[in-house]
Amino acid sequence: MKKGIIMGILGLGAMLAACDCCKGESKAFSQDAEMRAVMDNFIESEVPGKTPLVKMREVELIRIVSLTVQQSGTLLAEEVATALAKGVSPEEILEAVYQCAPYSGFPRVADAVEIVRGVFKAKNVKVDEYRATVTAQSRLEAGADAQGTLFGQTFRDMAKNGKDGMPTINYFLASNCFGDYYTRKGLDLETRELLTMVMLVNLGTEPQLKAHIGANLKIRTAEYVEQAIYTCLPYCGYPRTLNALRLLKEAAAEGSVKVLAVESAKDNIVSDSVEFAKQNKFGIGVPNVNYAKYFIGNSYLNSVTDAKSGFPMNNVTFEPGCRNNWHIHHAKKGGGQVLIVTAGSGWYQIEGQAPVSLNPGDAVVIPANVKHWHGAKKNSWFSHIAFEAPGEGTSNEWLEPVSDEDYSKLQ
């Protein structure tokens, strides 16, 4: 009986905090202005100043998820009001909180939902309800498909065995963790995976966190993931932040995005065009006029397979100093690009990571949705075969050029 009364008082306190927050009355550290000033400076000034890649919407969702997992009712109410004021939709806010359920459990989410709904009610915010997209019959397959997109085909294949043919924990993960949550409307798959990583940073669950850091490295740059982890720091503290940064370093080193072949012991610098033509077995081809605006310097294109074959492969040649702009191969499922170096010496770089030297025999797998560029070294011709990996919803986005200043620093 006493426990029930205590929980009721706590719930009422959270609701009052939400209402006071909506009236503009700050409740956190209301009797300790000095501590409030320290917190506000760190959260609103110092951390954002060091994490410019994490956009406002994502910052707000990261904060809401962190506060849900940390069970901070007062700060959560404040943050929900702030997120609404900054244009984050009520559906996004609720879905971010719902996403915490399979990782932190229903009790924390139940309290957080009450707080969020309390803020909505006080502000007269309407929500588009009923955002589920799966049925009891489709949730397993849909969840396994989401798992497969993030972690590999094995999870899709496992679901073919059905409930009775899968280990219990794998069935629950596919049908509930991914099927009931990752498939909902309101947040896309990539954002949900980012928020899952954030929850695990806050919870400090290292084996699972490393796996989800790896999944995020397939979607985002290592620099972005690092800055997202720092955004959690005010909520989870330094020990868990340091642990997460260590796991990020390990995951990146293990090669979520990497050059697959062993690099040549010595760069294959070929400055002479005649000698390069001898090495370039697939031919230089014709000037790459259709894409010239996305290149600095001259590039050339020679088809290796017939485009009608359904698997087009092209040998792309770069004159010394030529490189393409930063670009992204987008895909909703699958996708990406593969490069196989055929002659000369060049560079490949993912945003936020060190450039990689490429020489004949090296192969690069470029995951979908990763910002990158590739091209020749300043003193060498360079050629690679390029082909697009099959996928759904694929498209290419060309971005800004690699600056002369950055390129000149490559050695």
Side-chain angles (χ1 to χ4, degrees):
M1 181 66 178
K2 290 182 179 179
K3 182 178 179 181
I5 294 173
I6 292 172
M7 292 304 293
I9 292 172
L10 289 175
L12 176 60
M15 291 297 292
L16 289 174
C19 293
D20 285 344
C21 172
C22 295
K23 295 175 184 177
E25 297 179 16
S26 174
K27 297 295 293 184
F29 299 119
S30 60
Q31 301 181 63
D32 198 325
E34 186 177 44
M35 189 61 181
R36 179 74 197 211
V38 171
M39 181 183 75
D40 285 348
N41 176 64
F42 192 57
I43 291 178
E44 303 299 339
S45 180
E46 289 192 298
V47 173
K50 296 292 186 180
T51 56
L53 293 179
V54 189
K55 304 305 180 185
M56 178 277 296
R57 168 184 171 273
E58 294 159 337
V59 169
E60 292 301 320
L61 294 176
I62 287 172
R63 291 174 177 179
I64 287 169
V65 163
S66 297
L67 292 166
T68 297
V69 171
Q70 298 294 350
Q71 295 179 287
S72 176
T74 303
L75 285 175
L76 177 59
E78 291 184 27
E79 199 58 53
V80 170
T82 299
L84 288 170
K86 291 184 177 181
V88 182
S89 74
E91 293 79 17
E92 290 175 317
I93 292 170
L94 272 177
E95 286 299 330
V97 173
Y98 293 173
Q99 184 71 18
C100 298
Y103 301 97
S104 66
F106 287 115
R108 298 184 189 191
V109 171
D111 289 345
V113 168
E114 288 299 307
I115 293 168
V116 171
R117 294 280 186 175
V119 175
F120 290 174
K121 183 177 180 180
K123 287 185 166 291
N124 196 28
V125 172
K126 305 301 181 184
V127 182
D128 182 14
E129 307 284 4
Y130 310 113
R131 296 178 298 279
T133 65
V134 297
T135 64
Q137 292 72 36
S138 67
R139 61 199 282 264
L140 173 59
E141 184 177 352
D145 189 57
Q147 271 187 301
T149 298
L150 294 169
F151 297 100
Q153 183 63 33
T154 301
F155 293 94
R156 292 190 182 97
D157 294 339
M158 193 182 302
K160 294 177 182 178
N161 296 323
K163 177 180 179 180
D164 296 333
M166 297 173 66
T168 300
I169 189 62
N170 292 339
Y171 169 74
F172 284 153
L173 282 168
S175 61
N176 175 247
C177 182
F178 285 87
D180 288 341
Y181 298 97
Y182 279 81
T183 60
R184 293 177 60 83
K185 294 184 288 185
L187 291 176
D188 59 33
L189 185 66
E190 290 79 9
T191 302
R192 289 184 182 278
E193 183 56 25
L194 169 66
L195 296 181
T196 294
M197 182 189 77
V198 166
M199 297 168 210
L200 298 175
V201 172
N202 278 273
L203 291 168
T205 53
E206 291 201 7
Q208 292 80 14
L209 174 56
K210 186 173 181 179
H212 285 276
I213 287 176
N216 273 275
L217 287 174
K218 296 178 181 179
I219 303 169
R220 302 170 172 87
T221 67
E223 184 179 9
Y224 178 98
V225 173
E226 179 183 29
Q227 292 187 17
I229 291 171
Y230 278 124
T231 305
C232 302
L233 172 58
Y235 308 99
C236 67
Y238 285 93
R240 288 179 178 177
T241 300
L242 288 167
N243 290 343
L245 292 173
R246 171 177 54 80
L247 295 176
L248 169 60
K249 185 176 181 180
E250 291 177 6
E254 289 172 8
S256 297
V257 179
K258 66 178 182 179
V259 176
L260 294 185
V262 177
E263 293 181 30
S264 304
K266 184 178 180 181
D267 287 348
N268 185 50
I269 302 297
V270 186
S271 58
D272 181 73
S273 60
V274 175
E275 175 59 29
F276 178 76
K278 294 178 182 178
Q279 293 188 17
N280 191 5
K281 302 299 183 183
F282 292 93
I284 291 178
V286 298
N288 189 13
V289 293
N290 290 337
Y291 291 87
K293 61 183 178 181
Y294 304 123
F295 285 70
I296 293 177
N298 295 317
S299 65
Y300 304 86
L301 201 64
N302 200 23
S303 297
V304 177
T305 61
D306 190 337
K308 296 179 180 179
S309 68
F311 200 79
M313 299 172 64
N314 296 289
N315 191 49
V316 186
T317 296
F318 305 74
E319 68 178 5
C322 175
R323 66 274 189 187
N324 53 31
N325 290 5
W326 289 98
H327 58 286
I328 301 172
H329 304 290
H330 291 288
K332 294 181 179 179
K333 182 188 297 185
Q337 187 182 52
V338 177
L339 309 178
I340 301 173
V341 182
T342 55
S345 190
W347 295 108
Y348 162 67
Q349 185 177 20
I350 290 174
E351 184 181 44
Q353 298 186 16
V356 177
S357 177
L358 296 179
N359 293 284
D362 287 340
V364 179
V365 175
I366 305 171
N369 308 309
V370 169
K371 185 177 178 181
H372 65 285
W373 70 272
H374 36 101
K377 292 183 177 174
K378 51 192 169 186
N379 58 346
S380 179
W381 287 79
F382 176 60
S383 184
H384 62 61
I385 292 174
F387 60 90
E388 305 290 329
E392 295 180 8
T394 58
S395 64
N396 291 335
E397 179 183 7
W398 290 98
L399 303 167
E400 73 277 7
V402 178
S403 70
D404 291 338
E405 179 182 2
D406 290 340
Y407 182 75
S408 64
K409 295 176 183 177
L410 301 178
Q411 300 291 332

